[in-house]
Amino acid sequence: MKSVGIIAEYNPFHNGHAYQLQKAKEASGADFAVAVMSGDFVQRGEPAMFEKRLRARWALENGADMVITLPAPFALASAEAFALGGVTLLSRSGIADSIAFGSECGDTDLLCRAADVLNNEPDELKALIKSNISRGLSYPDARARAFGEYLPPELASVFSSPNDILGIEYIRAIRRIDATLQPIAIGRTGVAHDSAHTCGGFTSASNIRRLIVSGESEYIKSYIPEGIYEDMLSVLGRTAPIMLQSLSRETVYALRRMSKEQLKSLPDVTEGLENLLYSACRKYADIGSVLTAVKSRRYTMARLKRICMCALLGIYGSPMKKLDSLFIRVLGIRREAQSLLSALHEKSELPVFTRYGDVSKLNERQSELMALEVRCADIAALGRPSPSPVKSDFSYPLIIV
């Protein structure tokens, strides 16, 4: 029994995701696909547009055999920590043999070479990156420009492509924890990441979200698997879409109640950024204006939004120090994959959580992470178009399709 792992957000699930799941099984020869999916918040620093159980069910109905949750400290992190959290879950689950990921170049060997460059960065390359940062560039831009100057064009190009960058981090994470997972790059088809264009039955998740927000949801039907469109229509205006702006006042309040020292302890706050945040959240009353005031060439909007979401949720310190608090929370499985769940219980190095009674398996650090995940769900629910009472996030039954 072979399984391939995929780390995803499915925000929302679309035809490109179904294609990737199909190709991942084909390329790996796996019987099952295990998706590690961000929960209530995603890496762009926003709440997920649709509730995580709905997104998990969409994945299970369209190629995934099991969906487990990537906890918020890793879901709301840079590519390096995002990848490390997901790869650690897959590796320590004991059931994944490989990890597949979307890639602009589709060349696993090239991405492995790129990972080697990052793991053994020459001093000259480090100096170029530092020089670019001193000119006001963000770290990703500074690094991409330095690589363009220092590396052969073919190798440098992967550091400017968002999916390739994430793929490189997956490979680095595999090596960092000495995992046995085989990396498999799946070439992207259709349109580029975050593109507003369409190609055949494909468009980006960003474009789908844009169409939903602009009230043009009728145009997304061709780009999502059959059945999902009706699900979306049934929740739009009630539990979706959940937007960053929907949590604007709550986020500004969270920032205002923090001292500069507390702001400094948020993930990825460096170089005096706490001073800018402290000033901006008092000058402006909505999160969009706060972000615009702080945004610069050095600080990307995604990074700033992640920091603000961490303030809202009470996430402090580096996610790298939270690896020992991980546990495996299974959101759902396919009925035909019951043997996969049995294998997970047997082989996992981490506690497996499928029902509330499993809380007794968690140590103190894992219990703290569980409490954070409950808080994330409670706060995300406040952003619904029609906020309603919620029950404990861990009291929901396992999804079986």
Side-chain angles (χ1 to χ4, degrees):
M1 181 177 71
K2 292 182 65 176
S3 298
V4 60
I6 290 175
I7 303 170
E9 294 181 331
Y10 299 145
N11 184 40
F13 195 96
H14 56 68
N15 291 343
H17 295 133
Y19 171 86
Q20 184 192 43
L21 283 162
Q22 176 192 340
K23 292 299 180 182
K25 288 182 178 179
E26 292 175 0
S28 64
D31 307 289
F32 300 110
V34 179
V36 177
M37 186 188 78
S38 301
D40 298 289
F41 291 82
V42 295
Q43 200 199 12
R44 34 191 322 118
E46 299 175 359
M49 179 171 275
F50 294 89
E51 195 271 331
K52 62 177 174 285
R53 288 174 191 81
L54 187 58
R55 289 157 41 230
R57 182 162 62 78
W58 290 339
L60 292 168
E61 291 172 345
N62 292 280
D65 297 285
M66 176 183 287
V67 177
I68 64 180
T69 305
L70 180 65
F74 300 94
L76 280 168
S78 65
E80 182 181 5
F82 178 91
L84 185 60
V87 166
T88 300
L89 286 172
L90 287 172
S91 176
R92 300 192 68 185
S93 73
I95 59 172
D97 304 283
S98 56
I99 175 173
F101 46 85
S103 162
E104 285 86 0
C105 73
D107 187 334
T108 305
D109 290 338
L110 181 62
L111 296 177
C112 286
R113 286 169 55 200
D116 289 337
V117 170
L118 289 187
N119 286 339
N120 303 281
E121 236 175 49
D123 290 339
E124 185 179 348
L125 186 55
K126 291 178 182 177
L128 282 172
I129 295 172
K130 187 175 180 180
S131 173
N132 288 335
I133 290 174
S134 69
R135 295 176 190 151
L137 294 182
S138 67
Y139 179 76
D141 289 341
R143 190 175 71 171
R145 181 172 294 186
F147 289 157
E149 298 171 13
Y150 186 83
L151 298 174
E154 180 188 39
L155 195 54
S157 66
V158 300
F159 291 102
S160 300
S161 305
N163 286 275
D164 284 342
I165 290 171
L166 197 49
I168 293 166
E169 293 300 341
Y170 291 141
I171 295 167
R172 293 183 71 204
I174 289 170
R175 294 174 179 174
R176 178 172 180 163
I177 65 172
D178 198 24
T180 58
L181 298 170
Q182 176 190 355
I184 302 172
I186 306 293
R188 282 184 66 93
T189 188
V191 298
H193 179 79
D194 276 351
S195 171
H197 298 109
T198 62
C199 179
F202 297 100
T203 194
S204 67
S206 297
N207 193 38
I208 292 174
R209 292 193 299 271
R210 182 186 65 79
L211 290 169
I212 290 172
V213 171
S214 63
E216 301 173 277
S217 55
E218 68 271 19
Y219 294 112
I220 69 175
K221 192 171 184 179
S222 301
Y223 310 113
I224 54 180
E226 187 176 356
I228 292 182
Y229 182 69
E230 288 72 21
D231 279 349
M232 286 185 177
L233 290 183
S234 71
V235 299
L236 286 175
R238 297 190 301 109
T239 62
I242 305 174
M243 309 294 294
L244 174 62
Q245 197 60 35
S246 306
L247 296 171
S248 176
R249 289 188 176 183
E250 291 88 344
T251 306
V252 173
Y253 164 71
L255 291 168
R256 285 184 178 183
R257 70 191 297 268
M258 298 174 73
S259 67
K260 290 183 181 180
E261 279 303 308
Q262 289 172 320
L263 288 168
K264 190 176 181 179
S265 68
L266 293 170
D268 225 10
V269 172
T270 58
E271 303 167 325
L273 179 55
E274 69 275 11
N275 297 312
L276 298 177
L277 288 167
Y278 187 86
S279 174
C281 73
R282 283 161 174 78
K283 186 174 182 180
Y284 301 102
D286 69 282
I287 193 59
S289 297
V290 171
L291 290 166
T292 300
V294 180
K295 173 74 175 69
S296 69
R297 292 179 69 192
R298 178 166 291 187
Y299 306 120
T300 66
M301 186 60 78
R303 175 182 174 182
L304 294 173
K305 289 194 292 185
R306 287 196 297 266
I307 289 169
C308 290
M309 288 299 95
C310 287
L312 173 65
L313 301 169
I315 298 174
Y316 299 95
S318 169
M320 302 298 195
K321 297 179 180 179
K322 295 180 171 64
L323 289 173
D324 62 351
S325 64
L326 285 173
F327 58 90
I328 294 179
R329 181 188 185 184
V330 184
L331 280 180
I333 59 167
R334 287 186 61 82
R335 200 172 301 278
E336 298 86 349
Q338 295 278 2
S339 60
L340 187 63
L341 184 59
S342 299
L344 176 64
H345 280 290
E346 178 186 342
K347 298 179 180 181
S348 177
E349 300 173 16
L350 298 171
V352 177
F353 201 115
T354 60
R355 56 190 178 87
Y356 189 76
D358 292 329
V359 67
S360 61
K361 301 178 183 178
L362 307 182
N363 62 31
E364 183 178 355
R365 293 266 291 168
Q366 291 162 339
S367 296
E368 290 173 359
L369 181 59
M370 173 188 162
L372 171 61
E373 291 294 286
V374 171
R375 187 161 69 245
C376 289
D378 289 348
I379 291 174
L382 292 174
R384 296 172 179 172
S386 298
S388 57
V390 292
K391 62 179 183 178
S392 175
D393 188 59
F394 280 73
S395 64
Y396 289 90
L398 181 70
I399 300 166
I400 301 177
V401 301

